[in-house]
Amino acid sequence: MAWTPDSSALIFWAGGKLRKLNIGSGASEIIPFRIEDSRGVIDPPRPPVAVAPDSFETKIPRGAVVSPDGGRVVFETLGKLWVKPMAGGEPRRLTNDNGAMEAYPAWSPDGKSIAFVRWTDAELGAIHSVAASGGTSRAITKATGHYARPRFAPDGKTIVSASGDNTLKLWDAATGKEVRTLAGHTSSVNSAAFSPDGKMIREIIFPMESP
């Protein structure tokens, strides 16, 4: 946009045209123009992209956790949990559940089971456990909600989970009974873990931002 030298009009672009706006009358007119130009036109590159291939390599596995004996690693990619030997080899699906997302895996201290959060938009989240060898998981929590990052106690009998309601919850790993709720947090609890002796719980809190 620019003024004419006598300040009587504005020159501007709109609708693909150069236009002149008379300040006094408010009338607008198109400024006609033509150019002569020559340029080369080439076809843009169009590399083939498979929309739905039968298989592909994922690039960002998340939540990787090594087993207590150091022999295996569990991780999440594309919303599913996979287990792979640390020495190499092909990964395998941990569960046979194709109807939900799986996240936040955690090994039991004996390495025989893995706890994780199962999520669907319709049912919300629940803490599940499955044998480390794979198979059908079982629900630890009876009520669904916003759970995150379950972790076993050193004795394997209790699971602590972070929550979006500013609490930590302790669960009996065998029965799924809620053992205790640790309230009083001022913000959402992002993660928690037992101390090696099982007497304390470390937690990470994300302060809520003001709107």
Side-chain angles (χ1 to χ4, degrees):
M1 183 182 295
W3 287 95
T4 56
D6 60 3
S7 300
S8 65
L10 279 173
I11 309 300
F12 63 97
W13 173 90
K17 303 290 185 179
L18 290 178
R19 299 175 185 267
K20 180 179 180 180
L21 175 65
N22 187 289
I23 299 302
S25 67
S28 173
E29 60 180 295
I30 294 175
I31 302 174
F33 72 94
R34 297 179 64 181
I35 62 172
E36 292 185 4
D37 184 31
S38 63
R39 62 185 64 190
V41 179
I42 62 173
D43 290 331
R46 294 186 176 92
V49 177
V51 177
D54 294 333
S55 64
F56 58 92
E57 181 180 353
T58 61
K59 303 296 184 181
I60 309 179
R62 303 187 302 175
V65 186
V66 178
S67 62
D69 63 3
R72 293 162 292 172
V73 60
V74 60
F75 61 91
E76 178 264 319
T77 188
L78 298 178
K80 304 299 180 184
L81 295 181
W82 299 76
V83 176
K84 182 177 180 178
M86 288 292 290
E90 291 296 318
R92 60 173 175 80
R93 276 286 307 278
L94 181 61
T95 77
N96 51 18
D97 187 354
N98 293 318
M101 294 186 66
E102 304 162 348
Y104 306 128
W107 293 89
S108 62
D110 61 8
K112 294 182 179 180
S113 62
I114 296 172
F116 64 96
V117 173
R118 181 184 186 272
W119 173 273
T120 67
D121 290 343
E123 300 175 358
L124 302 182
I127 298 175
H128 277 232
S129 178
V130 63
S133 58
T136 301
S137 66
R138 66 178 180 88
I140 298 292
T141 57
K142 302 301 186 287
T144 58
H146 291 82
Y147 303 109
R149 296 175 177 84
R151 292 293 183 269
F152 282 92
D155 62 6
K157 297 180 179 180
T158 307
I159 294 174
V160 61
S161 68
S163 177
D165 64 357
N166 300 359
T167 67
L168 289 176
K169 294 184 183 296
L170 303 179
W171 311 91
D172 186 299
T175 66
K177 179 181 178 181
E178 183 177 333
V179 177
R180 188 176 180 184
T181 296
L182 303 178
H185 304 85
T186 58
S187 297
S188 176
V189 182
N190 180 259
S191 66
F194 284 94
S195 60
D197 60 9
K199 296 180 179 180
M200 295 183 292
I201 297 175
R202 178 221 69 202
E203 58 191 41
I204 297 177
I205 299 174
F206 282 172
M208 299 295 289
E209 296 182 358
S210 301

